[in-house]
């Protein structure tokens, strides 16, 4: 069973990976991933799906230019007002996948949305590609703590949360967000975009996991 400490460790180990080995995901890991997806769907009333051995999820650009052997993915499906929850659960799944010895890639734009929605008859807001990476990826360029944070109290738990959030995937790695700590209350602001609500959920998960504290206010 994956512990909280395993997931926190995965924050530092996980990097975006777009190129994968042709190796099929083994039976046990498929089972673990399906169980995790089903548990999250039940907890948050979502419609996510884990799909294996299928290369139809990406657009032509994503399939032939940006990636290699991207044949396994999780469909982030749910209602429009569930996008934040989908981002939150996608973050959990990406870190969980890392603890299984797999790699992942959060895709918010270069996936085949129309094809997936026609196939599953549900609104789709993104996908998480997964598999055995040709490498482990590399650290993405990060803004500094001061560029994404304003605080009236130099507490360690808050720093841990923001540093973790800086390691989370965001659309085009723009990191258009800001954390604010005032009078003990944490606020997260994400710049409006087509991915903003998903990013809000992803960032919230990373921050709350690492800090052990809840974000009280959220603004898009």
């Amino acid at each position: 069973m994956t512990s909280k400490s395993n997931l926190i460790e995965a924050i530092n180990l996980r990097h975006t990976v777009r190129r994968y080995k042709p190796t099929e995901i083994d039976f046990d890991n498929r089972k673990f991933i399906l169980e995790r997806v089903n548990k999250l769907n039940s907890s948050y009333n979502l419609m996510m799906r884990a799909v294996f051995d299928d290369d139809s999820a990406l657009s032509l650009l994503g399939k032939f230019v940006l990636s290699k052997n991207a044949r396994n993915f999780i469909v982030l499906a749910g209602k429009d007002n569930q996008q934040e929850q989908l981002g939150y659960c996608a973050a959990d799944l990406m870190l969980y996948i890392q603890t299984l010895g797999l790699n992942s890639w959060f895709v918010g734009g270069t996936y085949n949305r129309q094809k997936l929605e026609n196939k599953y008859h549900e609104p789709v807001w993104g996908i998480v590609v997964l598999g055995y990476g040709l490498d482990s990826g590399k650290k993405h360029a990060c803004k500094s703590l001061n560029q994404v944070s304003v605080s009236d109290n130099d507490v360690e738990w808050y720093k841990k949360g923001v540093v973790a959030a800086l390691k989370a995937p965001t659309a085009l790695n723009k990191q258009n967000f800001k954390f604010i700590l005032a009078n003990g209350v944490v606020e997260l602001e994400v710049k409006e975009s087509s991915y903003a609500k998903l990013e809000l959920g992803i960032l919230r998960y990373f921050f709350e996991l690492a800090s052990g504290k809840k974000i009280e206010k959220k603004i898009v």
Side-chain angles (χ1 to χ4, degrees):
M1 183 175 179
T2 301
S3 66
K4 179 179 177 180
S5 62
N6 293 142
L7 293 171
I8 291 174
E9 182 182 6
I11 290 174
N12 294 317
L13 297 175
R14 187 210 164 268
H15 308 294
T16 295
V17 172
R18 296 182 177 89
R19 298 170 65 82
Y20 297 88
K21 299 173 183 176
T23 310
E24 290 187 359
I25 296 176
D26 62 88
F27 176 83
D28 284 343
N29 278 339
R30 292 186 189 218
K31 176 175 174 287
F32 295 146
I33 292 165
L34 286 168
E35 288 175 348
R36 192 82 170 193
V37 169
N38 289 337
K39 181 179 179 180
L40 290 168
N41 279 338
S42 178
S43 297
Y44 294 93
N45 194 30
L46 301 172
M47 297 173 282
M48 298 184 297
R49 298 170 181 266
V51 181
F52 303 99
D53 305 317
D54 182 341
D55 67 355
S56 66
L58 292 173
S59 66
L60 293 178
L61 174 65
K63 186 187 298 186
F64 295 111
V65 178
L66 299 179
S67 70
K68 181 177 182 179
N69 295 321
R71 296 181 52 81
N72 308 288
F73 55 94
I74 295 166
V75 182
L76 303 178
K79 298 174 183 176
D80 178 53
N81 63 1
Q82 293 178 311
Q83 289 185 65
E84 183 187 338
Q85 293 99 312
L86 285 166
Y88 189 88
C89 292
D92 177 87
L93 287 165
M94 285 185 281
L95 295 180
Y96 179 70
I97 286 164
Q98 188 70 40
T99 70
L100 298 177
L102 297 163
N103 305 101
S104 63
W105 170 25
F106 168 68
V107 185
T110 54
Y111 68 98
N112 199 329
R113 180 173 185 172
Q114 184 175 0
K115 190 168 188 175
L116 290 174
E117 290 186 340
N118 289 340
K119 184 173 183 178
Y120 298 115
H121 308 290
E122 297 156 354
V124 177
W125 304 100
I127 63 172
V128 173
V129 174
L130 61 134
Y132 300 101
L134 287 175
D135 55 44
S136 299
K138 60 182 180 180
K139 294 180 181 179
H140 59 245
C142 277
K143 292 182 177 179
S144 70
L145 198 69
N146 291 336
Q147 286 178 298
V148 299
S149 170
V150 177
S151 171
D152 66 358
N153 193 335
D154 196 27
V155 288
E156 190 61 27
W157 61 262
Y158 176 74
K159 282 185 179 179
K160 285 182 178 179
V162 178
V163 168
L166 282 166
K167 297 173 183 177
T170 56
L172 304 177
N173 194 33
K174 288 186 175 180
Q175 298 186 319
N176 285 328
F177 60 84
K178 178 160 284 188
F179 285 90
I180 300 168
L181 175 63
N183 300 317
V185 175
V186 181
E187 178 178 312
L188 171 57
E189 298 179 358
V190 179
K191 186 176 180 180
E192 179 61 57
S193 74
S194 55
Y195 315 107
K197 293 176 183 177
L198 283 173
E199 289 182 355
L200 185 66
I202 292 172
L203 294 164
R204 182 165 68 87
Y205 185 93
F206 273 69
F207 178 92
E208 292 181 352
L209 176 66
S211 69
K213 304 287 185 178
K214 294 290 185 182
I215 294 174
E216 301 293 337
K217 296 181 180 179
K218 297 163 289 183
I219 300 174
V220 174

